[in-house]
Amino acid sequence: MLKSDLAQHGRIEKRLFLGGTIDMPKQDCLLHHFNNNSSGSESRRTSLPAKNNAVNYFSLRGCDSSFVKRRHSYYEGKYNNIRHSYLEPAFSSGQDSCMDTNINRGTSLDSRCRMKERKTCKDKDSANLYIDGDTEPLDSSIIDHLQASNDARSCFAPANIIEDSQAIRCAEFHPSGKFYGVGSNSRTLRVFDYPKISELRKNDAVSSPGLVCKKTGHHKGSIYCLGWNPNGDLIATGSNDKTLKLMRFDVENKNFIGDEVDITVHDGTIRDVCFIEDSINKSSLLISGGAGDCKVYITDCTTGKAFQAFGGHTSPILSLYTWGGAMFASGSQDKTVRFWDLRIGGCVSVVTPITSDLSINKGSAVASTCVDPSGRLLVTGHEDGACVFYDIRGARHVQMFKPHASDVRSVRFSPSAYYLLTAGYDGKLVLTDLQGDLTRQLPSVSAAQHADKIISARWHPSDFSFLSTSADKTCALWVLPPV
């Protein structure tokens, strides 16, 4: 695929570990990097069998053929109405045809040439679909830098660090990627400029980002969560003062405008928020959840009034996630994930991710949730340090693995879903490579680290960089080390 096509669809994502001139399967390139840079325990974790140069991205019994076709066209950049797939009900009454499906992507140029010679991809309905990678390989000098490092934690370096008098709980990128908002226990809301990553140099000192605007004493309590609507002209925050605040943001003048709206429907700490666009009424809907009555509230941002409340969880809601359309997911202290559909006006499915092989206590509180861009794969982070992959349409568990020693407070797919970023109370940010078979062990590496518990981590919408917030009273912007 052409670079211009990729840029148009927002699917350019730099390879962190792979590429260069190493003539081996891409998984083996990754293992080579790990074995050179990691401890023995980490090396054992990455001992994946590589059958051939075509790396399985998604090999699940029970995958439906319609999903395979959509994912193929989506990653080829030819699926022009991507939101249509998001709007399809994830839990239809009819049963889709099932097949054993191997979706292979991101392979090396040589292996792609060999696959084309075998004409494996001549039929897009074939059980084996090979998809050209939609990212550019990392520059060979960066590969050399990473492989020469003796410490895997140096994979990413901090470009900006924000300091506060108290723990920083949340940070979210503006949809444009030009700004990011930060909320803390000091009750302060700040918006910062996102730096030009291309202008960073190796010897540049870590600096504070440019402050765009600021609200001190924004809440009476700690700011637990914040979110931007898809258009980027609204920002919402939630707090342990039991209130939601909604404000307008002027992108051109880089400032808050108008009066803030207080929403007081919750009777407990508000732990997470997200937005859904109402395309019919041309307005944004704010989804919020937390402790107290453990309900999910839907607020019309035009009127500032909550018009719907979804009950079902029996313990505090800890995380919310929407991937487009009318669907969203909620994770709770009650060890379940609930999927909600605004068109139906309620819950359409309940999942209890299995985090242990023991016959008892198979679940753990769901601290974080995320769904991949196709709306097909759920990942959850749990308080026992486990992460779980769940096939939504196939209604089956795919894999459980433990990248952290304690609570996993954030899970996020990278913009093109090649990597999974997780953040935990063990102070580590872990990057897991998803280009292998998701039913097997997945290679992972510690990408960055804080001095205390990490509370959240978020990818930039297009760049290969991310934010993290921590109990060590800092928020860091992490980038690949300049060379």
Side-chain angles (χ1 to χ4, degrees):
M1 189 187 303
L2 294 177
K3 181 176 179 180
S4 58
D5 294 330
L6 294 172
Q8 179 182 358
H9 292 276
R11 289 292 180 265
I12 294 181
E13 175 183 326
K14 289 186 176 180
R15 295 280 189 212
L16 172 61
F17 311 116
L18 316 180
T21 58
I22 305 175
D23 188 18
M24 60 176 72
K26 288 223 167 190
Q27 276 186 327
D28 288 350
C29 293
L30 184 55
L31 301 185
H32 178 72
H33 168 67
F34 286 156
N35 291 334
N36 282 348
N37 294 282
S38 304
S39 64
S41 60
E42 286 179 322
S43 298
R44 286 194 298 273
R45 230 177 33 236
T46 60
S47 55
L48 289 176
K51 294 182 180 179
N52 50 50
N53 281 4
V55 182
N56 277 329
Y57 171 73
F58 205 111
S59 179
L60 296 176
R61 186 176 297 275
C63 287
D64 58 281
S65 57
S66 61
F67 165 71
V68 174
K69 295 176 189 176
R70 284 199 305 275
R71 194 173 187 90
H72 175 70
S73 55
Y74 173 77
Y75 282 106
E76 286 286 39
K78 298 174 182 176
Y79 196 68
N80 296 323
N81 190 17
I82 295 174
R83 289 181 60 85
H84 176 72
S85 66
Y86 298 158
L87 290 170
E88 291 179 358
F91 309 96
S92 57
S93 57
Q95 295 295 323
D96 295 312
S97 59
C98 296
M99 60 191 294
D100 288 341
T101 306
N102 294 316
I103 298 183
N104 299 268
R105 49 189 275 194
T107 52
S108 66
L109 180 61
D110 291 341
S111 61
R112 276 184 286 180
C113 292
R114 286 193 290 272
M115 286 188 287
K116 288 180 180 179
E117 289 173 1
R118 294 199 305 266
K119 299 182 180 179
T120 311
C121 194
K122 64 180 180 179
D123 181 4
K124 70 175 180 179
D125 294 328
S126 170
N128 293 290
L129 294 178
Y130 297 91
I131 301 173
D132 288 349
D134 61 351
T135 69
E136 294 180 320
L138 210 60
D139 185 86
S140 58
S141 58
I142 300 179
I143 294 291
D144 294 340
H145 171 80
L146 293 176
Q147 291 180 340
S149 171
N150 292 320
D151 187 354
R153 288 174 295 181
S154 65
C155 286
F156 282 81
N160 291 150
I161 292 181
I162 300 163
E163 296 181 341
D164 200 284
S165 60
Q166 297 186 43
I168 300 179
R169 286 190 172 272
C170 54
E172 295 283 348
F173 281 107
H174 187 270
S176 69
K178 297 179 180 179
F179 320 103
Y180 57 91
V182 177
S184 74
N185 281 3
S186 65
R187 303 176 296 170
T188 303
L189 172 66
R190 289 173 286 180
V191 178
F192 295 93
D193 273 321
Y194 178 71
K196 293 182 179 180
I197 301 300
S198 60
E199 295 180 359
L200 296 178
R201 295 295 178 263
K202 184 176 181 178
N203 297 323
D204 288 350
V206 179
S207 61
S208 298
L211 180 64
V212 171
C213 53
K214 177 180 179 180
K215 283 257 185 182
T216 56
H218 183 54
H219 280 272
K220 294 179 181 178
S222 303
I223 299 176
Y224 268 67
C225 55
L226 69 86
W228 301 89
N229 73 330
N231 293 330
D233 59 356
L234 288 174
I235 184 172
T237 55
S239 169
N240 57 0
D241 65 7
K242 306 178 185 179
T243 64
L244 284 165
K245 286 185 180 287
L246 188 64
M247 293 183 299
R248 293 204 168 274
F249 182 76
D250 187 339
V251 178
E252 291 185 3
N253 296 317
K254 301 181 181 182
N255 206 353
F256 302 120
I257 56 174
D259 296 329
E260 60 190 39
V261 177
D262 288 352
I263 303 165
T264 57
V265 292
H266 290 272
D267 61 356
T269 299
I270 300 164
R271 298 299 296 265
D272 207 358
V273 295
C274 63
F275 283 91
I276 286 180
E277 286 300 297
D278 182 353
S279 58
I280 296 177
N281 297 311
K282 306 297 183 183
S283 65
S284 295
L285 303 179
L286 175 63
I287 317 297
S288 58
D293 59 12
C294 306
K295 290 182 178 180
V296 177
Y297 285 90
I298 317 298
T299 301
D300 186 341
C301 294
T302 302
T303 63
K305 303 294 183 182
F307 65 91
Q308 208 163 18
F310 294 157
H313 283 296
T314 58
S315 294
I317 296 168
L318 303 179
S319 60
L320 295 167
Y321 191 81
T322 178
W323 57 99
M327 299 284 296
F328 67 94
S330 59
S332 169
Q333 192 84 36
D334 64 13
K335 305 179 183 180
T336 68
V337 175
R338 286 179 174 264
F339 290 91
W340 311 86
D341 193 331
L342 292 178
R343 296 162 298 184
I344 296 173
C347 180
V348 293
S349 182
V350 182
V351 176
T352 303
I354 299 172
T355 64
S356 173
D357 295 331
L358 301 176
S359 59
I360 58 174
N361 193 28
K362 287 192 173 182
S364 176
V366 183
S368 49
T369 56
C370 189
V371 176
D372 81 328
S374 72
R376 178 63 157 73
L377 182 66
L378 166 74
V379 62
T380 53
H382 298 264
E383 288 190 350
D384 62 359
C387 286
V388 176
F389 286 120
Y390 184 83
D391 175 12
I392 298 174
R393 191 178 294 274
R396 66 186 293 267
H397 286 82
V398 179
Q399 183 184 163
M400 182 277 291
F401 62 106
K402 291 198 173 184
H404 295 275
S406 56
D407 301 35
V408 181
R409 285 289 159 172
S410 186
V411 289
R412 283 294 185 272
F413 290 102
S414 60
S416 295
Y418 278 108
Y419 303 104
L420 177 71
L421 178 66
T422 59
Y425 272 7
D426 58 3
K428 294 181 179 179
L429 290 147
V430 175
L431 205 62
T432 301
D433 193 340
L434 303 182
Q435 296 171 91
D437 185 339
L438 294 185
T439 63
R440 298 177 181 268
Q441 286 182 308
L442 299 171
S444 62
V445 64
S446 181
Q449 187 167 322
H450 277 267
D452 205 339
K453 299 174 181 177
I454 300 177
I455 304 172
S456 71
R458 296 292 184 267
W459 286 103
H460 188 272
S462 55
D463 287 348
F464 201 58
S465 62
F466 56 85
L467 290 168
S468 61
T469 65
S470 172
D472 66 7
K473 305 176 186 179
T474 66
C475 171
L477 171 65
W478 302 91
V479 300
L480 288 174
V483 293

